[in-house]
Amino acid sequence: MSRRHLAMLTATVLAAASLTACGSGGEPGDGGKTLTYWASNQGASLEADKEILQPELDKFEQQTGIKVNVEVVPWSDLLNRLLAAATTGQGPDVVNIGNTWSASLQATGALVEFDDATLDKVGGKDRFVPAALAAAGAPDKPPAAVPLYSLAYALYYNKQSFADAGITAPPTTWEEVAEVGRKLTGDGKWGLAVEGANPSENAHHAFTFAQQYGGEWFDAAGTPTFDTPQNVAAVKRYVDLMAVDKIVNPSNAEYAQNQSVSDFANGKAAMLLWQAAGANLKSQNMAADAYGVAPVPFLASPPAGGKQVNSMVAGINIAVFKHTKNLDGALEFVKFMTSDTEQVTLNKTYGSLPAVGTVAADPAFAADEQKVLAQTLATTAAPLPQVPEESTFETLVGTAIKELFADAASGRPVTEDSVREKLTRAQQQMR
């Protein structure tokens, strides 16, 4: 990460530093027997995640004598809080990070790098799925984390809503999404739910749409290329689901805390684009046989250079801050969380895929949802650029799309010029 970008991130996140836990690696007088862990929000709520994780943390304490204090951090806050902890040296010992942030956080120098010797302490490099480990840090450097949960995007659809509308199969193109979405919209129900105020979610979809339009967000030298015609067309196609197709409730422009999943679970929306939504839907009493899971659609007629990509290589990594006062305990916890037993228990609960190859054939991952996710990861997913500025890209481009959704919700026109203007502004902020 350039000094300028690191300085920009520092200025952005210092205001959040007061939110981070003070100290790490144990409480006074406990002999380093306490770890602080920030977990990402994988389930239906922060409380649900705490209930899922606590029995596993208790098991770890029984095995090692090390107590783990967990805080589940919402996605809307997680990146800023991680950057604040990296900047100040005040915060947790162990953290979950979105795998797309790995290179950005690595560039701060605040994370323990998993060289071969360190990987051996958590079970060895060969345990991890190679594609997942490749999204754990900058190219040609030791990973700054190890994979914990592997994910991909899929299209979830309400079977009864489709049947009532006479739709016999899930859409495979964006044109079909718009067509069937209009049939599914009405009487207080909407064709599709999105998370319009979540910058990271927006940036993920911007990446996938851009791949289909033949666009890239950075060139080979790592220079941002946000406002190319391909990227403008890609972002407009995504926002037009609300602005033009009108299959997305305008209120979704304010969604940033998984409300789109709740709308789908409660029958307010007939389709959802999400990463491993099954466990979240179950927690909201939506039966597994009430919805289908299909690959994310493609363009019917992709332009020259368009790629067959319908998901980012998604996932959650687990990392250790260098400021920990109990490095051995922190690495022991990473080893525990990536053990065969915990990989089955946690990924089965969350509906994600294991990050270690040793349990890939477990029956826990044989459901239709996991089959679609695994097939996508194996054939049509692509990694976001592992450049130091990636997290800044997510923030700036994701926020630009958030503003475009706000425009659409307010009835203001979303034009190619307005999309280009916001992407150009985001690009200028990167330089």
Side-chain angles (χ1 to χ4, degrees):
M1 179 177 291
S2 69
R3 294 190 180 201
R4 181 181 181 279
H5 286 118
L6 182 55
M8 182 173 72
L9 286 172
T10 300
T12 300
V13 305
L14 277 177
S18 61
L19 297 174
T20 62
C22 293
S24 59
E27 298 170 353
D30 76 352
K33 288 296 186 180
T34 301
L35 295 172
T36 301
Y37 172 43
W38 284 356
S40 51
N41 179 199
Q42 302 300 123
S45 67
L46 307 184
E47 295 74 18
D49 279 321
K50 181 72 181 297
E51 291 178 3
I52 289 167
L53 291 170
Q54 194 58 57
E56 309 313 308
L57 305 184
D58 292 343
K59 188 190 306 180
F60 177 71
E61 183 177 7
Q62 292 169 2
Q63 293 177 8
T64 65
I66 301 174
K67 178 178 176 58
V68 179
N69 292 323
V70 64
E71 178 184 357
V72 183
V73 183
W75 283 106
S76 55
D77 296 339
L78 184 56
L79 179 58
N80 277 349
R81 292 189 63 180
L82 289 169
L83 289 168
T87 301
T88 64
Q90 298 291 316
D93 304 275
V94 183
V95 293
N96 285 6
I97 63 177
N99 66 353
T100 63
W101 304 337
S102 295
S104 296
L105 291 168
Q106 184 174 33
T108 69
L111 298 181
V112 172
E113 291 194 323
F114 283 82
D115 56 20
D116 288 345
T118 307
L119 281 169
D120 285 344
K121 293 181 180 180
V122 299
K125 179 179 179 179
D126 292 343
R127 278 183 52 74
F128 297 97
V129 175
L133 193 60
D140 302 320
K141 291 185 178 181
V146 294
L148 183 62
Y149 312 128
S150 290
L151 297 159
Y153 278 91
L155 175 71
Y156 294 78
Y157 60 96
N158 186 303
K159 292 180 178 178
Q160 189 61 54
S161 295
F162 269 52
D164 291 344
I167 303 166
T168 58
T172 60
T173 69
W174 293 111
E175 291 79 0
E176 289 177 353
V177 168
E179 179 184 353
V180 304
R182 285 189 285 268
K183 295 179 180 178
L184 295 162
T185 298
D187 298 325
K189 298 181 180 180
W190 296 84
L192 176 71
V194 304
E195 208 81 359
N198 186 322
S200 290
E201 190 79 9
N202 287 338
H204 296 169
H205 293 303
F207 169 78
T208 298
F209 274 90
Q211 290 283 291
Q212 295 188 12
Y213 275 89
E216 298 289 349
W217 293 98
F218 295 89
D219 64 18
T223 303
T225 55
F226 293 175
D227 58 357
T228 64
Q230 295 90 340
N231 291 345
V232 169
V235 169
K236 188 174 188 303
R237 172 63 271 180
Y238 178 48
V239 178
D240 276 352
L241 294 168
M242 177 188 291
V244 175
D245 303 320
K246 300 188 184 304
I247 64 172
V248 175
N249 189 338
S251 68
N252 288 193
E254 300 178 1
Y255 282 8
Q257 298 286 348
N258 298 0
Q259 296 99 320
S260 58
V261 183
S262 296
D263 279 2
F264 180 77
N266 296 320
K268 296 179 180 178
M271 292 184 287
L272 173 73
L273 298 167
W274 206 254
Q275 304 175 32
N280 196 330
L281 298 173
K282 180 181 179 181
S283 73
Q284 299 187 62
N285 300 314
M286 188 177 196
D289 60 1
Y291 61 87
V293 185
V296 172
F298 295 96
L299 293 169
S301 300
K307 301 181 180 70
Q308 281 289 104
V309 171
N310 62 349
S311 177
M312 54 175 285
V313 176
I316 309 302
N317 294 342
I318 188 167
V320 176
F321 272 116
K322 287 180 180 177
H323 62 229
T324 181
K325 297 173 184 175
N326 186 2
L327 178 58
D328 288 342
L331 292 175
E332 190 67 26
F333 180 60
V334 172
K335 182 178 181 179
F336 171 81
M337 292 291 281
T338 57
S339 66
D340 286 5
T341 299
E342 293 305 307
Q343 281 287 287
V344 172
T345 298
L346 292 171
N347 282 290
K348 178 181 179 180
T349 300
Y350 286 128
S352 46
L353 298 173
V356 297
T358 46
V359 297
D362 192 282
F365 311 112
D368 288 343
E369 179 183 29
Q370 281 65 48
K371 288 179 180 178
V372 170
L373 300 182
Q375 180 68 14
T376 295
L377 283 173
T379 60
T380 55
L384 269 79
Q386 283 291 331
V387 296
E389 293 80 8
E390 197 285 329
S391 63
T392 312
F393 150 73
E394 287 196 26
T395 299
L396 294 176
V397 170
T399 298
I401 296 172
K402 173 182 174 180
E403 294 171 358
L404 290 165
F405 273 121
D407 288 343
S410 300
R412 292 187 290 271
V414 176
T415 65
E416 286 189 3
D417 287 342
S418 67
V419 173
R420 185 179 299 106
E421 178 184 352
K422 292 187 186 298
L423 293 180
T424 298
R425 185 182 66 195
Q427 181 170 297
Q428 290 170 343
Q429 290 176 285
M430 287 283 291
R431 292 174 176 170

